[in-house]
Amino acid sequence: MTAKENHTSTIVHDAPVPAAQGAEFWGSDAIASVLRGLDIPYIALNPGASYRGLHDSIVNHLGNRAPQMLLCLHDEHAVHIAQGYWKASDRMMAAALHSNVGLMHATMPIFNSWCDRAPVLILGASGPWDAAKRRPWIDWIHTCSDQGALVRNYTKWDNQPGSVAAAVEALLRAAQIAQTAPRGPVYVNLDVSIQEEKIGPLPVLPDMARYLAPPAAQPAAELVAAAAHLLSTAKNPVMLAGRCSRSIEGWNARVALAEKLNMRVLTHIKLAAAFPTDHHLHAAPPANRLAPEAKKAIAEADVILSLDWLDLAGALKQACGANPVTAKIIQVSCDAHMHRGWSMDYQGLPPVDTYLMCEPDAAVPLLLKAVKPRAAPAPAVTKAKPAAPSNAVTLQSVAEAFNVAIKGSDFCIARLPLGWNGGYVPFRHPLDYVGFDGGGGVGAGPGITVGAALALKDSGRITVGLLGDGDFLMGNTAVWTATHYQIPCLMIICNNRSYFNDERHQERVAVARGRPAENRWIGQRIADPDIDLAAMARAQGAVAIGPVTQVADVQPAIEKGIATVRAGGVCVIDMRVEPGYDAE
């Protein structure tokens, strides 16, 4: 079962006392009804008076179903849960943010969602735009001119409708834009006066089927033919499998295309699984920076098929250095429609010979049909080089124990820590791994893990977040939402008691300046006092294990965590790993 098929999963429902339905309705009732019509399953939120009208409508008009509210302890979690839900389901949910202050809290996860190309319907609110209607002090500080400007540079669209009718249209447009590729977050700001306006009878809602996102754009036939010719006649083609959907049909088509062309494939550790990493055509473990085998594969390629690869120009630069790129480049991506002036997340501008301006899932089946089988010697299988055995708990020992404990079970890794070697755990299904946070915003891991687990609840797939300690500390109160709504998930904190990535940066600077590298830990180490991460999780109702400090205890801890998730619980393991990275 895929996450998208799993529409009927249930979580704890905070059931309201039934409200009598009269002939009088309010503006927020119409807005809530549109959310139901748009098939929004959940709305994650931290409460706020600016949308108290909408809150009431979801509870008392809709009965807190479709959408159901998910109470979060921080505005950031609301957006990250929605992001994680999409990552595991390809389905959009909503998040609500309280006026300007809630939006300020959530700017980082909105940026993460933007960089991750994750559609999130974000509902904001403000005090009355009509100053005569503002309550003293509080409505004034929670009302601002052009609130959407706070996030306009990293949302696809924003709007502040001036009437109930305009709000209905704004939601339809926002949902359509968010779910049209390249996807991304949108923001609709609802004036409290519109929400709390009496409107008499509930207006007839539009036919939602007429406002859906358009079907995927198809590439031009002549471009498919040109790309197929390049691939069919190539001596050494390489596929860069980048941003792809969670569709098993899309996954199978990519595998079939690679096998038909006997083409080596690379994947990226920051992106969701797009190709089986233990397949004989997978050329190197997925990584942040290209491994030597990956650089060699790209440098020797005469044709490169980029399926919406993250930073194609950067990959070519890593592989070719200052040398000219001689390979013919086939780019399959519509991401350029997202590129604007404020954020540089579009990366460098790559050279392209054949450009298919569409999503990979639209192009690959056409290419599969058009290419001719290509005979070539079977490439050598590349395996991750294990580190030297150690009695200390390391990322590698955690991975080895995880592989044994999870064997025979379907799983979804919702996050990996920095330094994780992409060859440690094989990905054999599009839901085995859903990628990083998108924008590098620390604190996303717990919320994304909960969102992915929500999408996969009742699917039989165990959701696991392998988190850094800094990531967990910033986002740990997302655990409460998981325990309250009984969303089973396992969080394994790879706790090196440091912002270790920054230790390495400080070491490089010190060495370059001829200064003591031994001082790299100052302002980085999380110690004295030590933080009891398991206690933080236990205080929120989770089963907590640790600290785990001995290699012999790693596998039993993970097995207990998996058993807890199977039983419907939430488990957090404080795994005390040695500082050090097993990969870039």
Side-chain angles (χ1 to χ4, degrees):
M1 177 185 288
T2 67
K4 200 162 188 178
E5 293 168 342
N6 184 30
H7 284 222
T8 57
S9 65
T10 56
I11 60 173
V12 167
H13 180 243
D14 296 329
V17 173
Q21 295 295 333
E24 192 70 63
F25 293 90
W26 283 261
S28 56
D29 293 336
I31 292 168
S33 297
V34 174
L35 295 178
R36 173 170 287 177
L38 289 170
D39 194 29
I40 301 296
Y42 303 102
I43 179 168
L45 55 82
N46 184 261
S50 63
Y51 57 81
R52 64 187 184 183
L54 180 61
H55 192 126
D56 173 79
S57 294
I58 292 172
V59 172
N60 290 315
H61 178 57
L62 300 184
N64 194 26
R65 289 194 186 277
Q68 177 180 342
M69 288 194 299
L70 299 180
L71 176 60
C72 301
L73 304 186
H74 198 290
D75 300 281
E76 286 191 8
H77 303 338
V79 179
H80 276 141
I81 286 172
Q83 180 189 1
Y85 186 85
W86 173 80
K87 287 166 76 71
S89 68
D90 281 341
R91 188 181 180 197
M92 185 175 71
M93 63 173 277
L97 305 173
H98 169 44
S99 71
N100 49 4
V101 290
L103 182 60
M104 291 173 190
H105 261 154
T107 52
M108 186 200 76
I110 294 172
F111 180 68
N112 275 343
S113 298
W114 166 268
C115 294
D116 202 27
R117 305 303 186 248
V120 180
L121 178 58
I122 303 166
L123 303 180
S126 72
W129 184 245
D130 184 350
K133 296 180 179 179
R134 290 180 197 148
R135 294 174 295 160
W137 188 72
I138 189 67
D139 276 347
W140 289 83
I141 64 170
H142 286 170
T143 303
C144 59
S145 297
D146 196 12
Q147 190 163 292
L150 284 168
V151 293
R152 186 165 299 138
N153 285 313
Y154 41 97
T155 50
K156 284 193 72 178
W157 185 73
D158 71 272
N159 188 250
Q160 183 169 329
S163 67
V164 173
V168 170
E169 180 175 306
L171 290 174
L172 295 175
R173 190 189 302 273
Q176 187 181 80
I177 289 173
Q179 297 177 97
T180 299
R183 296 164 188 83
V186 290
Y187 179 69
V188 178
N189 185 31
L190 302 168
D191 188 308
V192 69
S193 298
I194 295 173
Q195 298 176 58
E196 299 185 11
E197 172 190 353
K198 276 191 176 184
I199 59 174
L202 197 66
V204 177
L205 296 180
D207 179 357
M208 300 295 169
R210 304 183 73 182
Y211 298 92
L212 299 176
Q218 299 296 299
E222 61 271 22
L223 294 177
V224 173
H229 175 73
L230 286 173
L231 291 167
S232 300
T233 57
K235 293 182 179 179
N236 198 11
V238 169
M239 176 195 295
L240 303 181
R243 294 188 186 102
C244 299
S245 76
R246 302 303 90 228
S247 160
I248 191 64
E249 294 80 12
W251 174 278
N252 291 338
R254 290 188 293 276
V255 173
L257 179 62
E259 291 176 346
K260 188 173 182 179
L261 292 168
N262 204 13
M263 173 170 55
R264 288 178 294 174
V265 180
L266 296 174
T267 56
H268 203 302
I269 198 67
K270 288 192 179 298
L271 300 177
F275 194 88
T277 56
D278 57 354
H279 192 285
H280 72 278
L281 289 171
H282 196 265
N288 181 19
R289 294 186 178 276
L290 296 177
E293 313 95 289
K295 290 181 182 178
K296 185 173 185 292
I298 292 175
E300 293 177 350
D302 59 342
V303 175
I304 296 173
L305 173 63
S306 170
L307 300 180
D308 204 8
W309 184 257
L310 180 65
D311 192 12
L312 176 57
L316 296 172
K317 185 175 181 180
Q318 287 183 65
C320 302
N323 298 322
V325 178
T326 58
K328 295 292 184 182
I329 308 294
I330 303 166
Q331 172 75 303
V332 181
S333 173
C334 58
D335 197 61
H337 290 308
M338 200 80 140
H339 301 168
R340 286 150 51 180
W342 183 83
S343 172
M344 309 300 167
D345 64 281
Y346 47 73
Q347 311 294 328
L349 184 65
V352 173
D353 299 284
T354 303
Y355 204 142
L356 280 64
M357 182 64 79
C358 65
E359 296 179 273
D361 278 12
V364 171
L366 300 176
L367 291 172
L368 176 60
K369 184 177 180 180
V371 297
K372 297 177 181 178
R374 196 184 69 88
V381 177
T382 303
K383 295 185 177 180
K385 297 180 177 64
S390 171
N391 291 325
V393 179
T394 63
L395 293 179
Q396 181 181 339
S397 59
V398 171
E400 290 172 348
F402 177 80
N403 282 332
V404 174
I406 204 73
K407 187 176 182 180
S409 302
D410 292 334
F411 62 88
C412 173
I413 295 178
R415 187 69 163 88
L416 286 173
L418 293 175
W420 185 271
N421 188 307
Y424 280 161
V425 178
F427 306 140
R428 300 174 177 135
H429 187 278
L431 283 172
D432 281 356
Y433 174 58
V434 296
F436 269 54
D437 48 56
V442 181
I448 287 176
T449 300
V450 175
L454 174 63
L456 296 171
K457 190 177 188 296
D458 301 335
S459 70
R461 191 171 286 271
I462 296 169
T463 303
V464 182
L466 287 143
L467 315 174
D469 48 323
D471 193 32
F472 181 78
L473 283 167
M474 287 193 190
N476 77 88
T477 52
V479 169
W480 182 88
T481 300
T483 58
H484 176 76
Y485 294 102
Q486 296 180 13
I487 302 170
C489 58
L490 171 61
M491 299 183 193
I492 302 173
I493 309 166
C494 299
N495 181 5
N496 59 19
R497 287 82 67 204
S498 172
Y499 290 103
F500 187 72
N501 186 56
D502 291 282
E503 279 200 47
R504 297 182 356 137
H505 279 293
Q506 295 310 131
E507 180 177 9
R508 291 189 188 103
V509 171
V511 169
R513 296 178 178 182
R515 294 171 177 173
E518 295 83 357
N519 294 332
R520 72 181 194 179
W521 65 274
I522 297 174
Q524 313 286 1
R525 297 280 172 89
I526 307 172
D528 300 324
D530 185 51
I531 301 175
D532 191 340
L533 302 184
M536 297 173 75
R538 193 177 298 114
Q540 298 177 71
V543 172
I545 303 172
V548 178
T549 60
Q550 302 295 320
V551 173
D553 298 329
V554 172
Q555 186 176 322
I558 296 176
E559 288 173 346
K560 181 179 178 181
I562 292 172
T564 300
V565 175
R566 287 194 190 283
V570 178
C571 183
V572 176
I573 303 174
D574 180 4
M575 200 73 74
R576 298 297 179 94
V577 300
E578 287 292 297
Y581 285 169
D582 297 340
E584 290 292 335

